[in-house]
Every structure is written in structure tokens, then in C-alpha cells.
DNA sequence: TTGGTTGCAAATATTTTGCAACCGG
DNA sequence: CCGGTTGCAAAATATTTGCAACCAA
């Protein structure tokens, strides 16, 4: 299955999810979701807005914000933890972690090897009901390391 | 060693760090650091500002922001990943993780048991130079679980 | 038709910055 | 005294909201 087919599947999933939740399938919703889903850059709202504008020049920023929030509620995308004031989004629902470059703020996906599995700290359970565990690695990415030595 | 002594030690550490880095030891810096260091709530800038105002009524918000940034550069405090637009700070430099309640946004510290250790995903190394690894658990805290059933 | 959604504009929230006065060393 | 720091005010950045028109179902 190629990436275009995967994307189409995801869009079908989104349509289903909308219907199931009494939400309408609008072109804006599709386009905004597509932008997040096809990017591996974990884009922020502004970036999504700029990209969507190419296809829908009349789209507005607030629609992008509202739509990203809706998509999040539908569990079709989620926010990536980052220490910056800008929220960033990810449509890859497979469990994975992130490497975040502290210099250029690029976010890279880290998938665990088959023999690794997420370990939940023992004490974590004592604080409440766990919904999600998230491992983040912060560091300097290869691209920046290379630029730094120039 | 009681908590007040611990706090005083930290303040001495801060003074050292300031001197070593050509930064001045000002009462604002001390007070702002104290607020973060003595709280277990991982406060945001606004909260720190409100608390400091009680001791220094003339302190300004921007000083709080600037000081928090300085303290971060000195590695005396760090930002806690959270999905909200507000930055939150932690002065506990011991390696630990966080349980974040998705309902009330409270942040709880999780310390690993002696027999546990942080596992760095194998693939992580391929992205660059790792500076820091961060495990976050998101869920609903006991307090909220209790309130929800009322 | 009708209620969820959009675009516009304005508001809010959070954080940052220019600058003159101030004060720690 | 000197240069880092502060307080003030204003600006910048990121996000949210009220509302009338619009359009998916």
C-alpha cells in the first residue's frame, strides 16, 4: 500500500469519525487533516494554515485552530509535547516517541524496535488512571550537529 | 536535612551559578527562584508572579519571565513539557518523570524505583546527540477520579 | 430546512522587547 | 562608577470567541 492510499484510508476514517460524532464532513476539515496527515514535520497551526491556503485561499486561521481542536477530539490527530509556545500536531496514531532537536525544533519520530516495549514507571499507577505514556528525547539532531561544525 | 535547609542550599547554589556566569545576585532573582524551588506544583510564570508580588509588590511580570529564562540558562530550573500554552517550571534537578492530569492539569513527580532505569529507545541515537530523556504519563489523577464519581 | 461550520473581526492569553532609571559588585 | 537588571509600557506571538452568513445532511 503506497502513501497515497494510506492517506486516502485515513481520510475515509476521518469521514466515518465525523459521521459517528454528528460532525459534518467539510472540505476545510478534509484539507486541514490532509495537511497534518501527509506531513512528517509535525506542523504547527500556522504552517497548516499556510499550506491549506494554497488550496483554499479563503480559509481563515481560526478555522484551522478550531478544526485542529476538533480533529484532536476525534482522536484523529494529537498534540506533540514541545517546550515552545506553539502547539504542534501529529496524525500518526501508531505508538511512537519523538526526538526533538533543541536547536532547530525539528521533531523526528522514534519507533521502538520489536524487542523493546514501553515501560511504565511502577510508581506511575499510584497517581491515577493512566491514559497515555510518552517518551521524548531532547538533543541536537544530525543536521544541526553538521551545521555547527561548519 | 529539612526542607528549609535544602532550599537554602539551593539558593547558595544559585548564587554560585550567578557569580560563575557573570550574572548578578538580585533580590528578584532569589525570590523568583525560591518560589519555583519551594513549590511542588510546577508553577507557571503567572503563578510565580502572583506569589512573588506578596514579598515584592513592585516586581513586574516581565522580570519574572526574564528571570525564569535566566534560571533556565543557568540550569537551575527547567520547563516541564505540557500540552498547554503556559510554560511550567520545575527546580527539582533530580532525574524524574511526570504524571500530568489531563483534567486538572496538575503535574505530579514520578521517581523511578531503584531497580528501574530509564530506557533510551535504541533508535533514538540515530537522530543525533541525546541531551535529555523525558518520560511523561498522561492520565486522570486520583483527585479528579474521585470528583468525577460525585 | 436546520443546526453545525465558516470567515471576519475583535478579543484574550502568553510572552517578549525597547528604554531609561536603578543598583550590585 | 559601570554594566547587568529592573519596571514600565508597548509590542509581538499564539490562540480563542461572538456573530452573521453559509452549507452539509
Amino acid at each position: 500500500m503506497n502513501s497515497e492510499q494510506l492517506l486516502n484510508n485515513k481520510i475515509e476514517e476521518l469521514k466515518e469519525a465525523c459521521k459517528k460524532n454528528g460532525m459534518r464532513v467539510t472540505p476545510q476539515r478534509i484539507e486541514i487533516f490532509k495537511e497534518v496527515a501527509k506531513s512528517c514535520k509535525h506542523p504547527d497551526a500556522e504552517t497548516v494554515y499556510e499550506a491549506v491556503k494554497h488550496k483554499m485561499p479563503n480559509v481563515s486561521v481560526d478555522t484551522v485552530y478550531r478544526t485542529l481542536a476538533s480533529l484532536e477530539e476525534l482522536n484523529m490527530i494529537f498534540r506533540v509535547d514541545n517546550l515552545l509556545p506553539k502547539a504542534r500536531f501529529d496524525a500518526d496514531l501508531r505508538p511512537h516517541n519523538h526526538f526533538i532537536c533543541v536547536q532547530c525544533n525539528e521533531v523526528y519520530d522514534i519507533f521502538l524496535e520489536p524487542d523493546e516495549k514501553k515501560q511504565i514507571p511502577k510508581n506511575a499507577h499510584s497517581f491515577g488512571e493512566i491514559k497515555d505514556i510518552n517518551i521524548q528525547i531532547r538533543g541536537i539532531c544530525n543536521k544541526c550537529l553538521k551545521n555547527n561544525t561548519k
Side-chain angles (χ1 to χ4, degrees), chain A residues 31-109:
Chain A
E31 278 309 321
I32 289 165
F33 176 68
K34 240 175 167 171
E35 274 312 317
V36 181
K38 81 180 188 196
S39 166
C40 57
K41 292 276 203 170
H42 311 80
D44 54 35
E46 180 72 17
T47 305
V48 173
Y49 171 61
E50 290 302 332
V52 172
K53 256 208 304 201
H54 287 132
K55 296 204 171 181
M56 314 180 82
N58 287 322
V59 78
S60 61
V61 212
D62 48 298
T63 296
V64 173
Y65 277 101
R66 270 188 292 229
T67 303
L68 290 170
S70 309
L71 294 174
E72 205 182 358
E73 269 178 57
L74 290 176
N75 290 313
M76 294 300 298
I77 65 171
F78 60 92
R79 262 161 230 261
V80 177
D81 276 302
N82 74 6
L83 295 175
L84 306 167
K86 287 186 177 189
R88 296 181 65 167
F89 299 87
D90 192 342
D92 190 340
L93 303 175
R94 293 172 296 170
H96 66 282
N97 305 304
H98 294 120
F99 181 105
I100 303 183
C101 179
V102 297
Q103 194 173 316
C104 69
N105 299 318
E106 186 93 40
V107 177
Y108 302 87
D109 290 324

Side-chain angles (χ1 to χ4, degrees), chain A residues 107-120:
Chain A
V107 177
Y108 302 87
D109 290 324
I110 302 175
F111 289 91
L112 295 180
E113 294 281 299
D115 61 313
E116 295 177 290
K117 61 177 174 210
K118 281 193 185 184
Q119 66 173 25
I120 299 181

